[in-house]
Amino acid sequence: MLKHKNDEIILILTFLLLVSNICWLMSQKRVKECNTTSRVKKNVQVFLLAGQSNMAGRGGVIRKIVGGNVTKVWNGFVPQECKPNQKIIRFNAAQKWEEAHEPLNYGIDCLASCGLGPGMAFANEILKRDSNFGVIGLVPCARGGTGLFKWRRGSLPYDELVKRAKLAEKDGGIIRGLLWYHGESDVKGGDGYRDYKINLEKFIHDLRSDLNSPNLPILQVVLPYPKKPFKGPYIEEVRTAQLAINISNVIKIDAKGLEIGPDGIHLTTPAQVQLGHMFAHAFLSLINFTSSNTFSFYKFFHIFS
Ligand SMILES: *[C@@H]1O[C@H](CO)[C@@H](O)[C@H](O)[C@H]1NC(C)=O
Ligand SMILES: *[C@@H]1O[C@H](CO)[C@@H](O)[C@H](O)[C@H]1NC(C)=O
Ligand SMILES: *[C@@H]1O[C@H](CO)[C@@H](O)[C@H](O)[C@H]1NC(C)=O
Ligand SMILES: *[C@@H]1O[C@H](CO)[C@@H](O)[C@H](O)[C@H]1NC(C)=O
C-alpha cells in the first residue's frame, strides 16, 4: 500500500515536471529565444558589402516630383530572387541583427533614395545552391559618392566598415568575404584614377590586416561602362586599374554589359539580381565548398590559399 502511495507521488511529480517543462517551452521568453535573430548569432556566415552607390543599391530608384521638388524614391519592387529568407539576416544601422529585406543598405548611407542592390540576390542564390550553407549575415557598409581616398584608415567609410565587421564577428560570426563595388566617383574626374590600383591594393591589405584575415575572400566588381548623361572620362583608367589587381583570393567580376538605368551609372533592378548571382557563383567557385564542416572550410582558406 505504502509502495503504491510512493508510486503515485512519483507519478504526480513527473506529471508536474512535464507540465512545467511544456509551460517553459511555450513561454514568451522561450519563443523569443527561438526567433531567428537571436538564435543564429553563432556561426553566422558573415559577408561585408561595401563600396559606392551601386553596392548600396539604386535599382528601382525613380525621380519623382513632390511639391515642386525633384526627389528620388524607390519603386518598392522586390523580385522573387531578393525576397526575405529566414536564413538571411542583416546587421542594421543600429548594429543589431534583424531579418534582412530590401532595401538592404537602408539607414547606412541613405534614406529615401535607397533601392535594390546585389546583396539579397547573392544570399538567396548561395542558399539555393547549398541549402546547408547556414545562416547568412549581411553587413551593409556601402556609401554613395565616396572616392577611393575615403576608403582608408582614419576616414569614416573605412573605419565604419572595420568597426561593423568586428561587431558582426563578436557573437561567433565568421567573416567569409567582402563584396566590393567601387569606382563611380573616380571615373568622373579629380586625381582618384591616377593611383587607383595602388590605393585599391592598399585598401585590400589594410582591411585584411585590420580584420586579422590575411586571405579574406574579396569579390571585386570591375566597373561597367557608364553611358549618357553620366560623364566618366576616366572609365578606361579605372577599369584598367581594377583589372590589373592580382592578389590571391581576390576575384574580379566584370560588370561590363549589365543593364544601366537612365542616369547612366546605376544598375537596374534586373541587373542587380544578375550581379548578385555573379557574386554567388564567384564565391562558390573560390574553393570546393564542403558545407558539412564549416570550420574546416574556414581553415581551408588559411592553409591552402
Ligand atoms: C525576434 O526578437 C527580436 C528581439 O527580441 C525582435 O525585435 C524581433 O521582432 C523578433 N522577430 C520575430 C520574427 O519574432
Ligand atoms: C521643397 O524644397 C524646399 C527647399 O529645399 C523646402 O523648403 C520645401 O519644404 C520642399 N517642399 C516639399 C513639399 O518637400
Ligand atoms: C599574378 O601573380 C602571380 C604571382 O603572384 C603570377 O604568377 C601571375 O602571372 C600574375 N598574373 C598576372 C595576370 O599578372
Ligand atoms: C573541385 O571539384 C571539381 C568537381 O568535383 C573537381 O573537378 C576539381 O578538381 C575540384 N578542385 C579542387 C581544387 O579540388
Side-chain angles (χ1 to χ4, degrees):
M1 190 67 192
L2 238 166
K3 192 172 179 300
H4 233 101
K5 194 93 183 167
N6 266 342
D7 281 353
E8 216 168 276
I9 290 170
I10 286 170
L11 203 72
I12 288 169
L13 281 177
T14 309
F15 178 73
L16 286 176
L17 206 70
L18 197 74
V19 167
S20 74
N21 246 321
I22 289 172
C23 282
W24 178 75
L25 276 170
M26 293 175 72
S27 74
Q28 205 59 15
K29 185 163 176 289
R30 177 67 188 175
V31 169
K32 235 181 181 173
E33 277 172 7
C34 276
N35 100 17
T36 340
T37 333
S38 34
R39 175 168 47 90
V40 295
K41 275 189 196 152
K42 304 263 183 291
N43 295 321
V44 173
Q45 316 292 308
V46 172
F47 290 91
L48 312 171
L49 298 93
Q52 292 196 234
S53 51
N54 271 307
M55 181 54 80
R58 296 291 183 267
V61 171
I62 49 173
R63 293 164 77 83
K64 203 171 171 183
I65 295 168
V66 180
N69 299 334
V70 178
T71 58
K72 289 176 183 167
V73 290
W74 179 46
N75 65 12
F77 173 65
V78 179
Q80 197 56 40
E81 294 92 335
C82 308
K83 295 274 193 231
N85 178 319
Q86 62 174 31
K87 282 183 168 177
I88 308 175
I89 55 179
R90 92 165 186 136
F91 199 61
N92 67 17
Q95 300 167 357
K96 295 271 181 305
W97 288 112
E98 63 181 18
E99 190 184 51
H101 56 80
E102 301 288 3
L104 190 69
N105 206 66
Y106 182 81
I108 305 299
D109 85 322
C110 50
L111 292 168
S113 68
C114 218
L116 212 111
M120 291 300 291
F122 162 77
N124 274 313
E125 182 68 7
I126 295 257
L127 293 174
K128 192 174 150 195
R129 298 270 162 163
D130 185 347
S131 55
N132 294 322
F133 191 83
V135 171
I136 296 180
L138 301 173
V139 184
C141 300
R143 290 180 188 255
T146 49
L148 197 53
F149 74 99
K150 297 237 171 161
W151 292 90
R152 62 163 184 221
R153 286 177 178 154
S155 190
L156 180 109
Y158 180 87
D159 291 348
E160 273 286 300
L161 168 62
V162 172
K163 183 178 150 202
R164 285 171 62 73
K166 286 186 172 167
L167 285 170
E169 215 177 11
K170 218 169 149 190
D171 279 334
I174 302 161
I175 298 180
R176 284 290 152 89
L178 164 73
L179 279 56
W180 174 250
Y181 189 150
H182 184 272
E184 298 92 328
S185 287
D186 293 306
V187 305
K188 286 204 279 194
D191 282 338
Y193 72 92
R194 281 186 216 279
D195 293 324
Y196 198 88
K197 177 167 176 277
I198 292 168
N199 288 333
L200 187 52
E201 286 166 347
K202 182 168 163 43
F203 164 76
I204 291 167
H205 291 139
D206 286 352
L207 184 67
R208 284 176 165 179
S209 147
D210 289 342
L211 296 182
N212 228 334
S213 179
N215 294 305
L216 176 75
I218 293 176
L219 310 176
Q220 177 216 333
V221 171
V222 175
L223 278 188
Y225 287 93
K227 55 179 199 186
K228 281 181 185 164
F230 186 85
K231 290 193 181 71
Y234 300 109
I235 182 65
E236 278 309 341
E237 286 84 348
V238 170
R239 271 183 60 86
T240 304
Q242 291 175 336
L243 285 164
I245 296 292
N246 182 13
I247 301 175
S248 100
N249 266 356
V250 177
I251 299 193
K252 287 165 280 191
I253 297 172
D254 196 344
K256 185 170 85 177
L258 288 182
E259 185 186 40
I260 289 175
D263 63 8
I265 188 69
H266 291 124
L267 297 187
T268 62
T269 291
Q272 287 284 16
V273 172
Q274 272 178 286
L275 181 66
H277 290 179
M278 286 160 81
F279 272 128
H281 300 164
F283 178 75
L284 292 175
S285 77
L286 198 55
I287 56 144
N288 279 357
F289 184 73
T290 46
S291 54
S292 55
N293 190 342
T294 48
F295 184 66
S296 79
F297 166 58
Y298 186 54
K299 273 204 309 208
F300 190 90
F301 279 124
H302 292 269
I303 297 168
F304 295 107
S305 53

